[in-house]
Amino acid sequence: MANGDARKLFLACHGLLERPHGDVRLADIASTVEALGFVQVDSINTLARAHDHILWARRPRYRQGKLLKCVARPRLLFEAWTHDAALVPSVYYRHWRHKHAADRNALSERWKQWGREGFHSEFDHILKRIADEGALSSAELGDGKRQNGDGWWDWKPTKVALEYLWRSGELAICHRRGFSKVYDLAERVLPPEALNARSERAESLDWSARSALQRLGFGTASELSAFWDIFSKAELGAWAQEATNGLVEIEVESRDGSLRPALAQEGWEDQLAHLPDPSPRMRILSPFDPALRDRKRIERLFGFEYRIEVFVPEAKRQYGYYVFPILEGTELTGRIDLKADRAAGVLRVQGYWPERKVRFGSGRATRLADELIRICALAEVDRIEVENNRNTELLRESAAFMARV
């Protein structure tokens, strides 16, 4: 598979090839999550919550907060652990039972090694209070004491126990209050059809591999394992050796011209032939977008290295959480530093860095300005200000860009 074709198929699988469009009813939002597989939930709110930004990039009429409503009442989605906290279609809950079982042992041993002793003694107390009182947050279970600390390494025993009971399946997150998780018994959260469904391990393993392949376009056993993070690389490797039905082995060209073996679905050539041309619209993506989750894959396919600390290391700023990648067609062409100052109603443009050999002409400047104007609705601001610093010089010197914003 040629590199250009690989990028086109990969972006199509992530809903980033065609022009953003679509309704934003809860069922429509849930269908987008199902097409992606999951959407990471994150508290970073520099521009918007990461999960809201991900939906907006595909459905531009989407507004902040609506995704979490798919969890709170219709229960179309449930909050689970993939590589991080994520929203997953409730119909997949039966497959997570295998992950719950694995996490019961793995987390207990891991957290003991990390010095998180004492959390087991909290289980009965937590389960009884939630059973008697209903859904509770970690603060409420800790009698109002701060439970989260400054990071997972500083969690109190009650918080560790809650996370363990959630990730092992006894509790579920029924909603978030602000951004704090509120926990309840799993049987009071999950819809009956999801809660009562079961699948054999072999069935779930096959589902995890094929559904990951459908959403990636192509991949190695290791990449298929990492997508849902339910089964190990070894298990996916053994599956790949045996489950040949509907699969083909191909070689995928990287941006540097090297070839890498991968699995693909039979008929991938026909799928590729029927894909539309990429939209000319520029998109500013969340750093947590599912398409960007595997940084090594992105660097290999696009030649786009997405480091955590870049540009201003002396400021000790973690730019992986603040700098937003820019997608044009099938190319990642740059990064932009944005901050929504909602109190002032301003979107602050703090820096822009095009990739090497990317020319910032009037056409690109106009498309970038138009995307910034559109993203103001997501950020809940009504105007744009370009800060006066060395990282915005290219923007400020562009008459086309400044005239537009």
Side-chain angles (χ1 to χ4, degrees):
M1 186 185 297
N3 179 254
D5 290 340
R7 285 185 279 116
K8 188 174 183 180
L9 180 57
F10 177 76
L11 291 171
C13 290
H14 285 85
L16 293 173
L17 192 66
E18 296 183 82
R19 183 180 293 275
H21 68 283
D23 293 332
V24 288
R25 296 169 298 182
L26 295 186
D28 301 314
I29 294 169
S31 71
T32 299
V33 176
E34 184 166 6
L36 295 171
F38 62 86
V39 167
Q40 182 176 341
V41 182
D42 199 274
S43 62
I44 297 296
N45 199 17
T46 309
L47 176 66
R49 299 288 190 196
H51 44 279
D52 290 323
H53 191 167
I54 291 165
L55 267 294
W56 178 86
R58 292 152 177 87
R59 294 179 178 267
R61 291 170 53 197
Y62 177 90
R63 295 297 178 264
Q64 291 198 50
K66 200 159 187 180
L67 177 61
L68 294 182
K69 292 181 180 178
C70 293
V71 179
R73 187 46 50 201
R75 304 298 186 195
L76 300 172
L77 308 173
F78 75 102
E79 192 163 332
W81 189 269
T82 56
H83 65 300
D84 208 323
L87 293 178
V88 179
S90 294
V91 294
Y92 299 156
Y93 186 77
R94 67 186 187 275
H95 303 299
W96 251 261
R97 291 185 176 278
H98 301 290
K99 185 171 179 63
H100 293 158
D103 281 352
R104 285 188 194 104
N105 294 324
L107 292 178
S108 183
E109 291 303 314
R110 186 185 310 162
W111 286 345
K112 281 181 182 178
Q113 292 173 9
W114 291 347
R116 302 271 72 87
E117 295 283 359
F119 69 91
H120 288 90
S121 63
E122 299 285 327
F123 290 170
D124 290 343
H125 169 70
I126 288 171
L127 291 171
K128 185 177 188 310
R129 280 200 60 189
I130 290 178
D132 293 345
E133 301 175 36
L136 295 170
S137 67
S138 63
E140 291 166 326
L141 282 158
D143 298 321
K145 297 178 183 178
R146 188 165 179 250
Q147 293 292 318
N148 288 357
D150 295 322
W152 63 261
W153 56 87
D154 196 32
W155 283 354
K156 304 301 184 288
T158 298
K159 174 62 177 174
V160 177
L162 275 171
E163 289 292 300
Y164 178 88
L165 291 169
W166 166 50
R167 290 183 57 179
S168 61
E170 291 198 59
L171 296 179
I173 296 168
C174 58
H175 61 276
R176 285 183 179 250
R177 187 180 300 138
F179 202 72
S180 297
K181 298 171 185 172
V182 181
Y183 303 83
D184 203 347
L185 301 178
E187 59 264 30
R188 297 201 299 224
V189 175
L190 276 298
E193 60 273 19
L195 190 67
N196 297 327
R198 298 289 188 277
S199 67
E200 296 295 329
R201 188 175 183 84
E203 178 190 348
S204 288
L205 175 62
D206 188 73
W207 167 84
S208 73
R210 294 183 187 274
S211 61
L213 190 58
Q214 178 185 353
R215 290 165 175 84
L216 292 173
F218 49 87
T220 64
S222 178
E223 290 170 336
L224 300 184
S225 170
F227 185 85
W228 298 110
D229 195 27
I230 297 175
F231 299 100
S232 69
K233 295 177 184 179
E235 288 175 290
L236 266 293
W239 172 90
Q241 293 294 320
E242 298 176 5
T244 57
N245 182 36
L247 304 176
V248 293
E249 294 183 354
I250 64 172
E251 289 189 321
V252 179
E253 183 185 23
S254 300
R255 194 57 183 261
D256 63 7
S258 62
L259 297 176
R260 181 181 173 89
L263 290 173
Q265 296 174 308
E266 285 183 350
W268 66 266
E269 300 99 329
D270 187 60
Q271 180 185 0
L272 187 63
H274 287 86
L275 290 179
D277 292 333
S279 166
R281 172 171 164 171
M282 184 180 287
R283 300 189 213 221
I284 296 173
L285 301 178
S286 165
F288 298 96
D289 195 283
L292 301 171
R293 172 189 171 186
D294 188 337
R295 306 299 168 115
K296 292 182 179 178
R297 186 180 176 100
I298 289 300
E299 184 176 354
R300 192 167 61 246
L301 288 177
F302 294 86
F304 185 88
E305 185 179 359
Y306 200 57
R307 299 182 301 273
I308 293 297
E309 292 184 3
V310 293
F311 308 127
V312 192
E314 65 272 16
K316 296 182 180 178
R317 206 167 162 199
Q318 290 190 318
Y319 269 101
Y321 296 120
Y322 294 93
V323 173
F324 299 88
I326 298 170
L327 176 67
E328 297 182 68
T330 60
E331 298 283 356
L332 288 164
T333 62
R335 315 142 202 259
I336 191 165
D337 183 6
L338 302 172
K339 181 175 176 59
D341 183 347
R342 278 173 273 275
V346 173
L347 178 64
R348 303 196 186 281
V349 183
Q350 302 176 138
Y352 169 68
W353 302 268
E355 288 294 280
R356 284 182 295 234
K357 300 182 181 179
V358 170
R359 179 177 172 272
F360 193 66
S362 60
R364 176 165 282 117
T366 299
R367 292 194 301 275
L368 177 57
D370 287 344
E371 178 71 347
L372 290 173
I373 291 168
R374 286 189 290 262
I375 213 167
C376 282
L378 172 71
E380 299 177 344
V381 298
D382 52 24
R383 69 184 193 278
I384 300 165
E385 289 185 3
V386 181
E387 292 192 354
N388 186 1
N389 63 56
R390 64 184 179 88
N391 296 319
T392 61
E393 186 175 350
L394 194 62
L395 301 177
R396 289 181 288 106
E397 290 181 348
S398 169
F401 178 83
M402 295 304 294
R404 202 76 165 178
V405 300

